[in-house]
Structures are given as C-alpha cells and as structure tokens.
Amino acid sequence: MLGVLPDIVALREAQARLGTTVHRTPVLRSAQADRLAGAQLFFKCENFQRTGSFKFRGALNAVRALSPEQRRAGVISFSSGNHAQALARAGQIEGVQVTVVMPHDAPSAKRLATQQFGASILGYDRMRQDREALAAELVAREGYTLIPPFDHPAVIAGQGTCALELFEEAGPLDALYVCLGGGGLLAGCALAAAELAPGCAVIGVEPQAGNDVQQSFQCGYPIRIEVPHTIADGAQTTRVGDLTFAIICARVSAIETVSDPQIIETMRFLAQWMKIVVEPTGCLAAAAAMQRQPADAKPQSRLVGEAAVRRHPQQARPRIGVVLSGGNVDLARYAAWLAGA
Ligand SMILES: *Cc1c(COP(=O)(O)O)cnc(C)c1O
C-alpha cells in the first residue's frame, strides 16, 4: 500500500541529482545558544536555501526524477506556502510547467512569490471546493504529475539531503532536532541519521496547538485534527503523510512540542544573537533544543566554580544538530513579533 519507501540509496541519489543547484547551507554555532542549552548546538541554516527554505531540495529532486513524458506534461501541487515557491522555482530551472492550486484568498505575497517563478496559479474557493480533488481532476484531464509537499518518496529523499550535509560537516551528533509539519523533512533526516549516525536520537518538533503527529506517534496510526491556530504556518498540517509516518514510526525517537510564545522568543534570540531571520515554523526545532533540560544539570549543580568546569569540560556536552528550516516571513509581522507586540 505504501509503495517503495525511500532509503539511504535514494538520499544519495537525491544528493547527486541536486548537485550544486541547491546551496550547501552553512552550519552556524553560537556560544550563547550553547550556554542556554547546556550543549553544543549545530544550526543547519536552511533559511539561506534557495527560495528561502529546505523545500527547494525535495521539489527539485522530484522534478529531476520525472520521466521525459512527465516533464513535457508538467506538474501540479496544492500548497500556498514554501512548497509552492520551491516547486515553481524548480520547474523554472528545469523548464517544466508548474501549476499551483491556491485559494482565491491566499495572501498576495504568496501568490506573487509563486508567480514570479513562472508558475500558473489556479484559484479555488476554500469554502466550497476541495483542493486535492481539484488537483486530481487536473492530473486526470491534463496529464500533470502531482508533486505533493511531503508525502512523496522523491520529496522525502530530497529533504533528507540537508541532514546528510549536516552530518558530513558537524561530525557525530548525539541528537538532531527537526521542524515538523507533514513529516517530509523529519522522515528524510531520520533516514540520513539511521545510516550515518545510528546512535543519534532524532526528535521531531511541532506546534503545541497542532500536535497531530505526536498523538499519532503515541497511538500508532495517523489521526486527523482541525487546522491548528499557530503562528507556525508551515506546520498547520491536519494529518501526517502515510509514507512519512511509516518512516517516523521506524526511525524517530520522540516528538516534542513548543508553544507560540516559545517560538517568538526563539525568533528573537536568533535575530539578536545570531543575526539571522528565521520564520516561525523554522524556529520549532531550535525552540525545543534550547529549552531542553541538560542531562548533566543535576550532578553539576553540586559543584561550583573551577571544579564544575573541570568535571564538565566543553567536550563532554552533548552535540546536538538543529535544523532551521526556513526564513520566509512577512517583515511587518516579524517586526511586530520581535517588538513584543
Ligand atoms: C514545510 C515546512 C516545514 C515542515 O515540513 P514537513 O516536511 O511538512 O514536515 C517546516 N519548516 C518550514 C519552513 C517549512 O516550509
């Protein structure tokens, strides 16, 4: 039923297919973040990826994996967020026509961002029409290939290349925190970790208000929730994917949640201390990593001064990877969040 789940071979193929068309994004460090977390944090900065998020990896990998016939017919998707922009740009680079099904009332900035990369937008009424049915109709009528935002083998494999790069650059990690919506990024990163860093705990982080994957993870089957109210708009998914869930169940250690106030605090921290703009959804993993209770906090509390330093040298602190997944944020809202409005 699930078809072929991607594996490390698919990730390596994706890495070769993407080549240098994707940016090898930097891995940043921050002494201040390390101090707060009681760990050594390695931030993989996908906010610097082309089109502003990791979604470009999965989209480009999926487009490059198409057959010549599929390329000629074009592709379709139904996201108004980062996947739409990423797919539009991937299609533009590859000369493949992209159609995005987007509600008539989608923010104009999102329509423009998608249109500027040459995609055509098909508007629909979100009260009366079902976007997935509409996309399915076009697949049948026009012969388009559907490239969904997360539940697709080539998309998952493409997203996982960001963790491949992180492990290559940062070396061994004790844990990896990953932002979580429908699970494409988490599943891809978990596949990379299973192969390159079998001892590394992989932790997905979703908004508290929309913890459907956490609930699904606990009960063992995918549950559906109402559209959650959270500022993390890239994680407002109502149900995990089937492929992504199978991989998450097999390879992920835990799912954690963070609140909107924690997300805002993290956005502010990243701007102030690391000078980087990260969108709310992009802060999920960092928010969880920086609030974690250091495992060595208790024994250390009995020691003071130099003794504590000697007993807990920097090298003994856990090495933790954190994916900063994207940086596409409306600047007026961003400024208001940073100002505490
Ligand atoms: C889409 C998105 C996510 C969630 O990714 P999934 O693969 O749906 O879990 C996280 N952060 C950003 C910035 C995104 O655009």
Side-chain angles (χ1 to χ4, degrees):
M1 183 191 88
L2 292 176
V4 182
L5 289 177
D7 56 9
I8 187 69
V9 177
L11 262 72
R12 288 297 185 193
E13 275 170 16
Q15 197 173 35
R17 228 184 246 129
L18 297 176
T20 54
T21 315
V22 298
H23 291 324
R24 191 180 177 99
T25 54
V27 177
L28 296 187
R29 306 288 319 270
S30 156
Q32 182 69 359
D34 286 2
R35 202 179 59 73
L36 286 177
Q40 304 174 69
L41 301 184
F42 298 83
F43 294 93
K44 179 64 171 165
C45 294
E46 287 295 294
N47 53 316
F48 294 136
Q49 189 49 265
R50 294 180 79 172
T51 74
S53 82
F54 73 91
K55 292 271 192 345
F56 183 67
R57 296 175 183 269
L60 185 65
N61 188 44
V63 169
R64 287 193 169 166
L66 296 172
S67 70
E69 298 74 40
Q70 289 172 320
R71 280 174 165 264
R72 274 195 295 278
V75 300
I76 187 166
S77 199
F78 46 74
S79 143
S80 46
N82 287 338
H83 177 63
Q85 282 185 60
L87 187 63
R89 186 72 181 102
Q92 186 178 50
I93 290 168
E94 293 298 301
V96 171
Q97 188 206 325
V98 176
T99 303
V100 179
V101 179
M102 218 183 255
H104 291 303
D105 61 352
S108 61
K110 289 192 168 167
R111 299 177 70 90
L112 284 175
T114 304
Q115 276 167 330
Q116 88 185 359
F117 297 131
S120 21
I121 292 184
L122 185 77
Y124 76 101
D125 181 344
R126 68 159 106 219
M127 296 302 147
R128 289 195 213 136
Q129 286 174 294
D130 172 17
R131 62 182 196 170
E132 298 190 27
L134 208 61
E137 195 182 305
L138 281 149
V139 166
R141 199 174 73 214
E142 308 287 343
Y144 296 154
T145 298
L146 177 66
I147 300 184
F150 49 84
D151 211 21
H152 183 290
V155 171
I156 294 169
Q159 318 304 33
T161 62
C162 104
L164 287 182
E165 291 176 6
L166 175 57
F167 286 117
E168 283 166 9
E169 186 154 342
L173 297 175
D174 298 299
L176 174 62
Y177 283 76
V178 183
C179 309
L180 167 59
L185 179 62
L186 178 60
C189 290
L191 289 173
E195 186 69 19
L196 298 187
C200 176
V202 180
I203 298 143
V205 186
E206 62 183 346
Q208 212 165 63
N211 71 334
D212 63 299
V213 187
Q214 188 177 53
Q215 291 183 53
S216 304
F217 193 71
Q218 279 159 8
C219 72
Y221 56 89
I223 62 145
R224 189 180 289 277
I225 59 168
E226 295 288 304
V227 177
H229 291 283
T230 168
I231 60 169
D233 56 343
Q236 281 180 310
T237 38
T238 58
R239 185 189 183 281
V240 67
D242 291 318
L243 295 175
T244 57
F245 188 61
I247 296 167
I248 289 168
C249 286
R251 309 259 183 226
V252 168
S253 312
I255 310 287
E256 296 183 6
T257 63
V258 294
S259 67
D260 279 7
Q262 284 174 310
I263 291 172
I264 292 172
E265 196 186 316
T266 305
M267 252 190 302
R268 197 178 288 131
F269 178 93
L270 295 169
Q272 179 162 21
W273 291 92
M274 296 175 70
K275 321 302 170 193
I276 50 179
V277 176
V278 183
E279 66 184 274
T281 317
C283 291
L284 288 166
M290 279 166 30
Q291 71 164 14
R292 64 181 274 289
Q293 291 301 317
D296 59 355
K298 275 170 232 116
Q300 195 168 1
S301 66
R302 294 181 57 87
L303 300 170
V304 286
E306 275 183 42
V309 173
R310 264 187 282 113
R311 286 282 289 276
H312 298 276
Q314 182 71 15
Q315 288 70 19
R317 294 181 163 202
R319 300 165 53 84
I320 296 181
V322 176
V323 179
L324 299 176
S325 54
N328 293 325
V329 58
D330 177 82
L331 279 186
R333 293 187 75 192
Y334 182 74
W337 282 321
L338 259 51

